[in-house]
Amino acid sequence: MKVRLTSLLVGAIALFTATIASAQPSQLNLTRGATDISRQVYDLHMLVFYICVAIGVVVFSVMFISIVLHRKSRGVKPAKFHDNVKVEIAWTVIPFLILIGMAVPATITLIKMDDTSESDLSVLITGSQWRWHYSYLDYDVEYLSNLATPREQIYGRLPRTENYLLEVDRPLVIPTGKKVRFLITSDDVIHSWWVPEFAVKKDANPGYINEAWTRVDEPGIFRGQCAELCGRDHGFMPIVVIAKEPADFEEWIRGEEQRLADRRAEEERLLSMEMDKDELMRIGQQVHLSQCAACHQPNGQGIPGVFPAVAGSDVALNDRARHIEVIVNGVAGSAMQSFRNNLSMSEIAAVVTYQRNAWGNDTGDVVQAADIHNHIQGNQ
Amino acid sequence: MSTITDTHSAPAAHDDHDHHDHKPTGIKRWLFTTNHKDIGTMYLWFSFAMFLLGGSMALMIRAELFQPGMQIIDPHFFNQMTTMHGVIMVFGAVMPAFVGLANWMIPMMIGAPDMALPRMNNWSFWILPFAFLILLSTFFMPGGAPAFGWTFYAPLSTTYSTDSTALFVFAMHIMGMSSIMGAINVIVTIMNMRAPGMNYMKMPLFVWTWFITAFLLIAVMPVLAGVVTMVLTDKYFGTSFFDAAGGGDPVLFQHLFWFFGHPEVYIMILPSFGIVSAIIPAFARKPLFGYASMVYATSAIAGLSFLVWAHHMFTTGMPTFASLFFMYMTMLIAVPTGVKIFNWVTTMWRGAMTFETPMLFSIAFVVLFTIGGLSGVMLAITPVDYQYHDTYFVVAHFHYVLVSGAVFSILAAAYYWLPKWSGVMYDDFLSKMHFWCSLISVNILFFPMHFVGLAGMPRRIPDYALQFADINAIVSVGGFLFGFSQLIFLAVVVKCALKKGEPAPAKPWEGAEGLEWTVPSPAPYHTFDVPPKV
Ligand code: HEM
Ligand SMILES: [Cu+2]
Ligand SMILES: [Cu+2]
């Protein structure tokens, strides 16, 4: 019995250690990260960790010795002592001093982390179920950043690739060597913007703005995730940040500004153009799958009691104006957000057309960008 | 009404419990009982049932997390599982287990015939099953059970939740009432019903720690009731406590919740300290080292526990000075906690130890709780907490203190007092199997979680990046091993309940101290009708 238990124990521990030992260091410990602050945080982590290990070793050794030596089966007689003021004072004061030793560097680092003054660049980060919205306050650039991992990988119909769940369609881009200030907020529930390599984790609170900052030394790609439970797809809300040399960054952001301007011009042009129904359905399906399916599901059935079905719904079958309204302005006090700033008018037109003609919603309606434009104008 | 007053107006002085000397049989015995032992037994069975239920939800979580990808359950259902697992374990398994132990042991330890308020005692138990029925019934609602985590942060729990929230709030209110009634009962019993000569500094530490816990409960349960009510009115009655659009603040929710929540975690650990402080001296055959400092340390921990709540909220964007204050206070708590650990270790030092199952669980408690405490110190350091917060590192931390801490101490207590409760010795072989299986599997389950947490895996996610795969597989295996190990305990307890085992003497443990060992095993239905002399 004893032997079997022991061998079981040894086997389990061996297996355990083998797996742990075979893992990469980055899979086991905090990252040192890519910034001065993140390295300070890492050093602090290791300091505190070693202190804890030391305390643990001392306490457990005493216990272990006592378990080995002071057992009745060895015929020892128990001592009778039950108090010792000196010892008790010592083990109150010494831990206290150790704690002060940890508190000092922690305080210094914290004060640095909280100092967001004198930044070179500000980015407004807005969380919403379940994507990030980046907006450069010093430039005319803003865009959404969505999970790029296809559903087929999540549901195992395609092999999973290297950056599974940690890849987005449009990463945040920041310049190296510059102090970048993040202003973090949310459109709906609380999210938390976390990039381990920057040691930045800040909650995105709806209606309030939090600040954080980073200064990245070297160009690179950094990946993180939303860290606060934010509903169904909390696990599918990654963050990717690309740090570029300032010159490359400048080039990139000018290009983005140009692209956005072109897009607006294209919008204007499309307003006067009719798209054919197949084209609308095709774009609409893409928009639905990338923007709406997390809640309303790819088949439009929604999740009963949580997200309403669009397939067969009264709005989608009968109330075209309401359908547009819901997407353009959202439904106050619900997870249905406004898509006016996130989608172009032609995309909204396409998704409305798609939803009114897919999954047995055979209204035959065709909605054009101009209709969306009129709806918005009519509202104002 | 009148019966209550005339029976219990001066409970300690009188000896007029003969009116419930007859013991009804069948279901009525359990429904109408005011006997502290019956009520204690019901609490303990209830808690064990909830433990298995909450555990099976945890296994559902672990099954989904065994591999990357979504295989078994939908993300929304996954969130329901984490939420219900947390709520059930905290409010259904751990807290009722401690109340059950308090019911059984406090009157016997202080030489009282029963709890001071036996009818209220009956109530505080019997409303619990209804609270959990209500909570569990939400699984059958459209949209399912609550899915916002056991911390139910607004606005996820208000604007963005399903209608199960209303029932969740109602259930929480009932659980809160039950806890408050239980706490009042404990306080009144301890203050008024100690046997002559049992002054405060002679009370067993289990009684002391429960005494302090009961004050914590009375202080914070109303805060919980307040905050769930605010969630209810925000969701259904147009208030905006937590909604910026109406002038409220979602972070206010977190302040209120954690003002309850942090003392709550001490509510779940202080009675453990009492249990371990009874068991270690018994099997080291040596008096507890530093009894008085244990009492002071417990009080200090309880007092400090009201000043550290925002260490759960460092990332919400507090002013720097507030972060610093909460960091320092949290670090300070480590001092009295350390004192306790040193006291236990010194109690073992130069004792004459034997290693019966209660002692094994207690030693494991000291080691594993210390690991949880040390990771707690790491979490207190604000700048690094930015990295640890809301990752699996935290999940590892609180399971070390809750599972290998609170739950192990409850198991130790069960083995220690089972002979007293049932009158038979538990099956030694099975109990040792249970211990070793639990000890090994609990570490396979929770230790590697530290690593994935540090490597960057957030908590409460149903699917994860590929670099976390190996460790999650190990963790899941550990989870199933640990879960199934608990069935051994079920077998042990059932054997005792069926009186299969050697008859237990009044005092089965050589070194045990305390009034509970002066009565025969099994403890008669009524004990200490005449107060003992201490
Ligand atoms: C069979 C043993 C157990 C296993 C396998 C287990 C596993 C887990 C897992 C996987 C999570 C979810 C982590 C996440 O996704 O964030 C979790 C959360 C939690 N567990 Fe356990 N656990 C066990 C026992 C316990 C016990 C005994 C307690 C309480 C005393 C407990 C308290 C909690 C709490 C409070 C949460 C947080 C729930 C939330 O995130 O809202 N667990 N557990
Ligand atoms: Cu999230
Ligand atoms: Cu806390």
Side-chain angles (χ1 to χ4, degrees):
Chain A
M1 165 64 211
K2 266 252 167 62
V3 179
R4 243 190 305 145
L5 266 183
T6 325
S7 52
L8 198 75
L9 186 76
V10 171
I13 293 174
L15 183 77
F16 191 73
T17 354
T19 329
I20 303 275
S22 68
Q24 304 293 318
S26 66
Q27 291 177 290
L28 301 178
N29 199 358
L30 208 61
T31 168
R32 295 196 71 219
T35 70
D36 183 40
I37 287 285
S38 72
R39 280 185 292 270
Q40 287 185 34
V41 167
Y42 174 83
D43 291 342
L44 201 55
H45 158 71
M46 290 316 286
L47 171 78
V48 184
F49 172 70
Y50 285 129
I51 293 177
C52 287
V53 169
I55 297 175
V57 167
V58 171
V59 173
F60 299 150
S61 313
V62 175
M63 236 175 117
F64 187 72
I65 293 172
S66 152
I67 289 171
V68 172
L69 296 181
H70 308 145
R71 41 171 72 218
K72 194 182 175 205
S73 54
R74 290 171 53 106
V76 294
K77 287 270 158 298
K80 286 277 163 265
F81 66 88
H82 54 75
D83 260 323
N84 186 329
V85 180
K86 275 193 204 127
V87 176
E88 290 179 65
I89 289 178
W91 70 41
T92 311
V93 174
I94 295 173
F96 190 76
L97 296 178
I98 298 178
L99 288 172
I100 292 180
M102 299 195 254
V104 173
T107 306
I108 295 170
T109 308
L110 182 68
I111 290 174
K112 280 194 216 153
M113 292 174 99
D114 278 2
D115 176 15
T116 51
S117 62
E118 290 174 35
S119 59
D120 303 311
L121 177 76
S122 296
V123 185
L124 177 67
I125 301 176
T126 310
S128 63
Q129 286 178 328
W130 291 282
R131 54 173 68 91
W132 296 98
H133 181 189
Y134 299 118
S135 164
Y136 292 80
L137 299 184
D138 315 271
Y139 303 87
D140 193 12
V141 173
E142 58 173 305
Y143 53 86
L144 287 174
S145 174
N146 289 292
L147 174 73
T149 305
R151 288 175 74 87
E152 285 73 23
Q153 289 192 17
I154 298 175
Y155 288 94
R157 289 188 291 270
L158 281 180
R160 302 190 176 89
T161 47
E162 190 191 347
N163 291 316
Y164 177 69
L165 294 189
L166 295 178
E167 53 202 345
V168 298
D169 53 0
R170 308 215 41 207
L172 175 68
V173 180
I174 58 172
T176 54
K178 294 263 163 51
K179 181 159 179 178
V180 183
R181 184 171 63 134
F182 303 117
L183 301 169
I184 302 169
T185 185
S186 163
D187 279 336
D188 39 47
V189 300
I190 301 177
H191 305 265
S192 191
W193 198 80
W194 179 32
V195 179
E197 275 147 317
F198 303 165
V200 169
K201 183 186 286 151
K202 251 316 176 261
D203 290 1
N205 297 323
Y208 291 81
I209 294 184
N210 268 329
E211 292 183 71
W213 67 275
T214 193
R215 188 197 301 271
V216 185
D217 316 325
E218 297 292 328
I221 302 180
F222 309 101
R223 294 172 200 276
Q225 277 176 276
C226 174
E228 181 63 59
L229 178 62
C230 53
R232 183 173 188 273
D233 280 357
H234 161 58
F236 305 93
M237 199 176 155
I239 296 158
V240 179
V241 183
I242 298 184
K244 289 183 194 271
E245 298 282 2
D248 297 345
F249 172 76
E250 205 58 31
E251 192 187 319
W252 173 83
I253 197 120
R254 295 294 164 213
E256 280 304 299
E257 278 182 324
Q258 190 56 46
R259 226 170 57 95
L260 264 148
D262 290 352
R263 231 181 98 157
R264 283 195 202 105
E266 172 80 2
E267 275 278 275
E268 286 294 319
R269 204 174 58 80
L270 282 179
L271 278 186
S272 53
M273 253 181 61
E274 300 265 301
M275 286 203 273
D276 71 45
K277 190 174 168 196
D278 289 345
E279 175 87 13
L280 285 165
M281 287 296 279
R282 190 179 57 75
I283 300 174
Q285 182 176 30
Q286 281 169 7
V287 174
H288 180 83
L289 291 179
S290 67
Q291 307 290 324
C292 321
C295 299
H296 297 293
Q297 303 300 302
N299 59 8
Q301 293 299 333
I303 297 177
V306 192
F307 304 117
V310 184
S313 90
D314 185 45
V315 171
L317 291 178
N318 304 317
D319 197 342
R320 189 173 128 149
R322 171 84 190 145
H323 198 161
I324 298 174
E325 166 65 18
V326 165
I327 300 168
V328 169
N329 288 322
V331 179
S334 87
M336 183 62 206
Q337 71 220 49
S338 157
F339 282 89
R340 185 178 181 161
N341 297 327
N342 303 341
L343 296 176
S344 69
M345 290 185 207
S346 47
E347 283 170 330
I348 297 182
V351 77
V352 174
T353 306
Y354 175 71
Q355 292 188 338
R356 300 183 78 78
N357 292 289
W359 326 298
N361 286 2
D362 293 322
T363 60
D365 286 359
V366 175
V367 178
Q368 297 290 350
D371 298 323
I372 310 296
H373 183 71
N374 292 341
H375 184 92
I376 294 174
Q377 294 303 318
N379 275 343
Q380 278 164 355
Chain B
M1 235 11 258
S2 63
T3 39
I4 295 177
T5 28
D6 67 32
T7 316
H8 296 291
S9 49
H14 292 276
D15 180 25
D16 52 4
H17 283 251
D18 41 340
H19 65 291
H20 54 154
D21 236 333
H22 54 100
K23 165 157 109 181
T25 46
I27 183 79
K28 277 193 173 164
R29 163 172 173 198
W30 301 103
L31 267 180
F32 299 125
T33 183
T34 54
N35 180 288
H36 71 106
K37 301 187 183 78
D38 282 354
I39 294 175
T41 306
M42 290 193 295
Y43 262 115
L44 290 169
W45 275 111
F46 175 76
S47 134
F48 192 51
M50 286 295 130
F51 179 65
L52 295 181
L53 183 66
S56 50
M57 292 176 181
L59 295 188
M60 206 106 74
I61 301 175
R62 280 320 323 173
E64 177 57 56
L65 290 174
F66 180 65
Q67 280 185 349
M70 298 303 303
Q71 287 92 13
I72 302 171
I73 53 180
D74 168 83
H76 182 63
F77 189 70
F78 182 92
N79 290 346
Q80 298 175 36
M81 284 292 109
T82 47
T83 308
M84 293 297 265
H85 163 69
V87 172
I88 288 177
M89 285 302 192
V90 169
F91 295 98
V94 174
M95 291 173 68
F98 283 133
V99 182
L101 292 172
N103 259 297
W104 253 103
M105 301 321 299
I106 289 180
M108 294 214 308
M109 286 178 154
I110 63 174
D114 203 312
M115 296 295 278
L117 308 163
R119 283 159 208 240
M120 192 165 88
N121 207 5
N122 172 289
W123 255 86
S124 60
F125 173 75
W126 273 113
I127 60 178
L128 264 192
F130 293 95
F132 281 89
L133 273 181
I134 292 171
L135 188 63
L136 290 168
S137 71
T138 57
F139 275 115
F140 303 102
M141 295 177 74
F148 34 60
W150 87 281
T151 50
F152 60 104
Y153 280 9
L156 191 58
S157 61
T158 56
T159 315
Y160 298 88
S161 66
T162 63
D163 282 333
S164 61
T165 309
L167 295 189
F168 169 82
V169 169
F170 191 39
M172 289 302 244
H173 271 301
I174 303 177
M175 291 171 209
M177 284 195 280
S178 161
S179 296
I180 291 180
M181 288 197 278
I184 292 177
N185 219 340
V186 166
I187 293 177
V188 178
T189 307
I190 296 176
M191 290 181 61
N192 297 299
M193 297 184 59
R194 278 169 287 127
M198 166 85 63
N199 62 30
Y200 280 108
M201 290 312 269
K202 276 192 191 151
M203 291 193 313
L205 266 171
F206 180 69
V207 180
W208 251 117
T209 51
W210 238 112
F211 191 48
I212 294 169
T213 303
F215 280 103
L216 287 183
L217 275 170
I218 291 182
V220 300
M221 279 297 165
V223 179
L224 175 67
V227 72
V228 292
T229 308
M230 289 156 91
V231 163
L232 189 77
T233 61
D234 262 18
K235 186 166 169 64
Y236 291 104
F237 303 106
T239 58
S240 6
F241 292 110
F242 310 130
D243 181 3
D249 184 350
V251 177
L252 171 67
F253 172 90
Q254 297 179 31
H255 281 293
L256 292 171
F257 177 81
W258 285 114
F259 189 79
F260 146 79
H262 196 83
E264 166 70 20
V265 307
Y266 285 97
I267 288 166
M268 291 189 280
I269 203 69
L270 293 185
S272 306
F273 293 167
I275 293 166
V276 174
S277 302
I279 294 176
I280 290 180
F283 296 96
R285 295 171 179 73
K286 182 164 158 280
L288 182 70
F289 186 86
Y291 171 89
S293 70
M294 284 295 212
V295 174
Y296 303 139
T298 311
S299 314
I301 292 174
L304 282 173
S305 76
F306 288 102
L307 298 175
V308 298
W309 77 88
H311 65 207
H312 301 271
M313 302 167 50
F314 287 137
T315 61
T316 56
M318 281 188 287
T320 310
F321 77 90
S323 295
L324 288 175
F325 172 81
F326 286 108
M327 171 168 82
Y328 299 149
M329 283 299 149
T330 308
M331 295 172 85
L332 206 56
I333 275 201
V335 175
T337 312
V339 167
K340 293 187 153 280
I341 292 166
F342 301 142
N343 282 344
W344 291 319
V345 174
T346 316
T347 305
M348 293 181 212
W349 188 255
R350 292 183 48 211
M353 278 189 274
T354 50
F355 301 92
E356 287 84 346
T357 312
M359 182 65 161
L360 291 175
F361 271 107
S362 298
I363 292 176
F365 169 93
V366 176
V367 175
L368 301 180
F369 174 77
T370 303
I371 294 179
L374 291 170
S375 62
V377 172
M378 297 175 72
L379 285 159
I381 315 286
T382 314
V384 266
D385 178 69
Y386 286 162
Q387 295 283 48
Y388 306 145
H389 177 68
D390 265 333
T391 67
Y392 258 86
F393 189 80
V394 175
V395 180
H397 157 71
F398 70 69
H399 282 96
Y400 263 84
V401 291
L402 282 175
V403 180
S404 53
V407 172
F408 269 30
S409 79
I410 292 166
L411 294 171
Y415 283 114
Y416 188 55
W417 286 308
L418 254 179
K420 181 58 60 190
W421 299 337
S422 68
V424 295
M425 297 306 286
Y426 54 77
D427 184 318
D428 192 53
F429 173 76
L430 282 183
S431 76
K432 294 246 158 74
M433 281 295 284
H434 174 220
F435 170 74
W436 286 109
C437 292
S438 298
L439 178 72
I440 295 168
S441 58
V442 89
N443 284 295
I444 301 178
L445 167 56
F446 295 122
F447 202 72
M449 284 188 185
H450 290 113
F451 299 123
V452 265
L454 290 176
M457 177 166 162
R459 69 191 272 206
R460 295 170 167 170
I461 56 173
D463 192 5
Y464 47 83
L466 301 180
Q467 71 261 34
F468 307 132
D470 295 351
I471 295 190
N472 271 289
I474 304 180
V475 165
S476 288
V477 171
F480 279 87
L481 291 176
F482 182 75
F484 287 108
S485 304
Q486 302 321 304
L487 298 179
I488 310 179
F489 180 63
L490 180 63
V492 173
V493 178
V494 167
K495 274 184 86 175
C496 285
L498 298 176
K499 315 280 176 206
K500 295 225 167 68
E502 300 207 356
K507 188 174 129 183
W509 318 120
E510 188 188 4
E513 304 256 357
L515 291 176
E516 74 264 35
W517 307 112
T518 62
V519 301
S521 299
Y525 201 54
H526 296 294
T527 39
F528 299 123
D529 279 345
V530 180
K533 270 264 165 290
V534 183

